[in-house]
């Protein structure tokens, strides 16, 4: 686990930002896809159900119109005087009725010709020939009276009775066709039935009424009665329309809304409406595959759009991260070079935002600082330090702090916590470096300055460095010239740890010995060979002109001499390949300051 954490912490900030963003987007995309698919399926189901209810109502209207036209024919026959005269005539024999049947038969022929919905018409009475048109058997009154058709008509008490049972109506037909029969009895003065009329509608009329849906949804339609028996279906191969009772009738009769039902191992969305004419139900069946295919297509389109957005957002995030961290890292690198005495560096100006304004101030300060340094001599070091401090103060500290605070706030809002920590460390370094124009910091503040510096370096070097320190309690608030430790720590990083990848540890220890403050700065780096070590100590003790490699160390030693006297300063010790130790000796009593410098 610790190795994984170490590897993760070793990833550069820019890559972490992109990695976190991609993971976040992928999680959101996965959740969105699942929720979107569920929502889309539900939405399509509801929309389809709404459309199907409209279609079912239209089908019911068509069925109602067709059946109403048949019912009108039945009513016309029931009240037609020619038909009634024939039915009420007293014939001596069946043969006598044969001639009288010609006129009413012609009337029925005309009715059949004018109404294409009709399959046949049949009228029977006792003691006379029957009147009939179309493909229907010529049953005598006595035979009809014994049939189920008569019983159903009798139960209607003079009203028209609709008969859709194929096993009942099939006995009437001369061909194997299905019909919907409108049966009606004629009653005499004694309230007894004396004749019957059968007006038969073609089943194809209802089949045609079911084919009103022009959507490519694969929906099929069914008409069933209240007992769950199918009357007609738009696709006969879909269900056995001769079955006695449909399997889903209970869910319809219990007033369910649309529901799912499996038929022949296929899942269907079932919608239904009650008919306005009879105790029938208009039912639709839509394959669930159609709904899921539409939902999947919608989800696929959403994923494509989301993927394009993700790629674009990832690219923009990368550009932003690169721009933000790149500018900060450039400033950090330039600060290191300045601390080594290189005042020729310049920050790249890429715009006019807070960071670029800071870079402009940085370049302006360096320009003035470089001109000043060139005009100084070795004998004017003290004056040089005062002028450098004055130049540093030309940068508005509040502007720098506010700028860094703005960057920090922006990083927090965007979720770039590593950038936020980096900015905070840089801000603390600047605050301690400027220190409100004061020349001194306490030992505790010096350690804090080094901690912030190492935090920035660890970002660049994958948490390579560790700082350990121990300051005697009585020395924690002891004032020393500022920027005392940081150049020494930086020198260890540049030279002591140059070839070392891990376990790079630096120690700072401050104790009080015989009215002197003795500070040790130790690293476990590659050490210094004997010749180089002797040369460094010779330069520090005798004030010889240093090489560029140790100019920062020489500068610290000279500043100590100026502030505290030549008996104080730096001393190097080292074991090549093992460690390097720098001992700093300072007076414990406050030094006598020169030229009116304010006492601390």
């Amino acid at each position: 686990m610790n190795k994984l954490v170490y590897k993760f912490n070793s990833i550069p900030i820019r890559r972490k930002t992109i990695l976190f963003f991609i993971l976040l987007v992928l999680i959101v995309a996965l959740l969105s896809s699942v929720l979107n698919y569920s929502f889309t399926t539900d939405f399509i189901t509801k929309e389809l159900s709404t459309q199907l209810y409209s279609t079912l109502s239209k089908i019911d209207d068509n069925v109602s119109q067709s059946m109403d036209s048949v019912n009108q024919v039945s009513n016309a026959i029931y009240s037609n005087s020619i038909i009634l005269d024939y039915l009420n005539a007293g014939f001596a024999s069946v043969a006598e009725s044969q001639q009288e049947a010609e006129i009413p038969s012609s009337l029925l022929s005309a009715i059949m010709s004018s109404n294409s919905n009709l399959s046949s018409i049949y009228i029977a009475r006792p003691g006379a020939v029957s009147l009939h048109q179309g493909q229907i058997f010529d049953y005598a009154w006595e035979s009809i009276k014994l049939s189920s058709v008569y019983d159903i008509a009798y139960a209607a008490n003079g009203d028209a009775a609709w008969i859709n049972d194929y096993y009942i109506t099939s006995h009437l037909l001369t061909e194997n066709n299905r019909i919907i029969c409108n049966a009606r009895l004629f009653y005499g003065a004694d309230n007894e039935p004396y004749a019957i009329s059968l007006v038969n509608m073609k089943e194809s009329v209802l089949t045609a009424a079911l084919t009103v849906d022009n959507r490519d949804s694969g929906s099929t339609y069914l008409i069933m009665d209240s007992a769950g028996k199918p009357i007609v279906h738009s696709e006969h191969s879909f269900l056995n329309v001769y079955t006695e009772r449909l399997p889903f009738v209970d869910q319809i009769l219990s007033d369910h809304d649309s529901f799912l039902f499996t038929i022949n191992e296929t899942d269907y969305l079932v919608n239904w409406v009650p008919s306005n004419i009879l105790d029938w139900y208009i039912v639709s069946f839509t394959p669930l595959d159609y709904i899921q295919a539409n939902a999947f297509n919608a989800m696929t389109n959403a994923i494509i759009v989301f993927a394009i957005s993700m790629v674009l957002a990832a690219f923009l995030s990368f550009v932003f991260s690169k721009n933000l961290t790149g500018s900060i890292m450039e400033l950090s690198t330039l600060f290191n070079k300045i601390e080594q005495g290189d005042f020729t560096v310049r920050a790249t100006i890429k715009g006019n935002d807070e960071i670029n304004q800071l870079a402009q101030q940085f370049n302006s300060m360096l320009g003035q600082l470089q001109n000043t340094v060139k005009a100084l001599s070795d004998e004017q070091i003290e004056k040089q330090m005062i002028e450098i401090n004055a130049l540093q103060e030309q940068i508005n500290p509040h502007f720098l702090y506010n700028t860094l605070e703005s960057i920090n706030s922006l990083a927090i809002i965007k979720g770039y916590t590593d950038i936020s920590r980096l900015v905070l460390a840089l801000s603390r370094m600047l605050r301690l470096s400027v220190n409100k124009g004061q020349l001194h910091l306490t030992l505790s503040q010096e350690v804090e300055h080094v901690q912030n510096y190492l935090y920035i370096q660890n970002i660049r070097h994958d948490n390579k460095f560790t700082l350990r320190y121990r300051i005697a309690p009585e020395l924690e608030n002891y004032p020393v010239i500022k920027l005392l430790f940081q150049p020494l720590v930086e020198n260890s990083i540049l030279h002591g740890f140059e070839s070392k990848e891990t376990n790079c540890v630096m120690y700072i220890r401050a104790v009080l010995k015989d009215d002197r403050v003795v500070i040790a700065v130790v690293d476990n780096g590659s050490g210094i060979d004997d010749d180089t070590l002797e040369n460094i100590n010779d330069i520090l003790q005798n004030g010889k002109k240093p090489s560029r490699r140790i100019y920062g160390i020489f500068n610290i030693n000279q500043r100590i001499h100026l502030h505290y006297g030549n008996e104080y300063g730096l001393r190097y010790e080292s074991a090549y390949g093992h460690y390097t130790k720098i001992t700093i000796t300072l007076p414990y009593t406050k030094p006598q300051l020169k030229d009116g410098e304010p006492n601390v």
Side-chain angles (χ1 to χ4, degrees), residues 91-352:
F91 300 116
S93 66
V94 174
E96 183 183 348
S97 69
Q98 185 73 42
Q99 185 176 359
E100 297 296 329
E102 292 181 2
I103 295 176
S105 293
S106 298
L107 176 63
L108 295 184
S109 177
I111 293 174
M112 282 287 296
S113 299
S114 63
N115 197 325
S116 61
N117 291 343
L118 298 181
S119 171
S120 58
I121 301 176
Y122 175 81
I123 302 174
R125 58 157 282 184
V129 296
S130 63
L131 305 175
H132 62 277
Q133 293 290 325
Q135 298 171 344
I136 189 168
F137 282 110
D138 184 11
Y139 288 101
W141 167 258
E142 288 74 14
S143 298
I144 286 291
K145 195 171 182 180
L146 296 175
S147 69
S148 299
V149 173
Y150 180 89
D151 294 335
I152 295 172
Y154 185 80
N157 294 320
D159 294 329
W162 287 95
I163 305 172
N164 57 269
D165 192 326
Y166 175 73
Y167 295 101
I168 296 175
T169 60
S170 61
H171 301 294
L172 302 173
L173 304 175
T174 60
E175 293 185 359
N176 188 25
N177 294 321
R178 288 175 58 84
I179 61 170
I180 309 298
C181 178
N182 183 301
R184 192 167 193 172
L185 289 174
F186 293 79
Y187 286 83
D190 58 355
N191 205 28
E192 288 296 325
Y194 68 91
I196 187 170
S197 69
L198 304 178
V199 181
N200 301 317
M201 181 176 67
K202 299 174 184 177
E203 182 195 40
S204 60
V205 175
L206 296 184
T207 303
L210 295 178
T211 57
V212 298
D213 188 4
N214 58 4
R215 290 176 296 107
D216 187 20
S217 63
S219 298
T220 56
Y221 300 91
L222 169 75
I223 300 176
M224 74 173 197
D225 61 21
S226 60
K229 187 175 183 61
I231 299 171
V232 66
H233 197 284
S234 60
E235 291 184 11
H236 289 282
S237 61
F238 181 77
L239 285 171
N240 180 8
V241 294
Y242 305 107
T243 187
E244 288 297 325
R245 194 171 190 273
L246 294 170
F248 45 78
V249 65
D250 291 334
Q251 288 165 280
I252 292 179
L253 296 180
S254 60
D255 285 338
H256 277 202
D257 291 330
S258 60
F259 56 90
L260 297 179
F261 201 83
T262 301
I263 305 172
N264 298 332
E265 298 183 354
T266 302
D267 294 328
Y268 291 90
L269 172 68
V270 182
N271 296 81
W272 60 274
V273 296
S275 177
N276 292 322
I277 288 186
L278 300 173
D279 195 11
W280 290 358
Y281 296 90
I282 318 297
V283 187
S284 69
F285 305 87
T286 305
L288 201 59
D289 290 343
Y290 169 79
I291 299 173
Q292 292 173 339
N294 280 273
F296 182 79
N297 290 337
M299 184 185 71
T300 300
N301 293 333
I303 289 176
I304 292 174
V305 173
F306 193 85
I308 294 174
S309 301
M310 183 183 72
V311 172
L312 180 60
F315 173 75
L316 294 176
S317 176
F318 173 79
V319 172
F320 173 79
S321 175
K322 180 179 179 181
N323 180 269
L324 183 61
T325 59
S327 299
I328 294 175
M329 295 304 297
E330 181 187 11
L331 286 176
S332 176
T333 302
L334 295 180
F335 270 112
N336 293 335
K337 292 183 178 181
I338 293 171
E339 289 170 355
Q340 296 172 19
D342 183 2
F343 299 108
T344 63
V345 296
R346 292 295 184 271
T348 303
I349 306 300
K350 302 176 182 178
N352 196 37

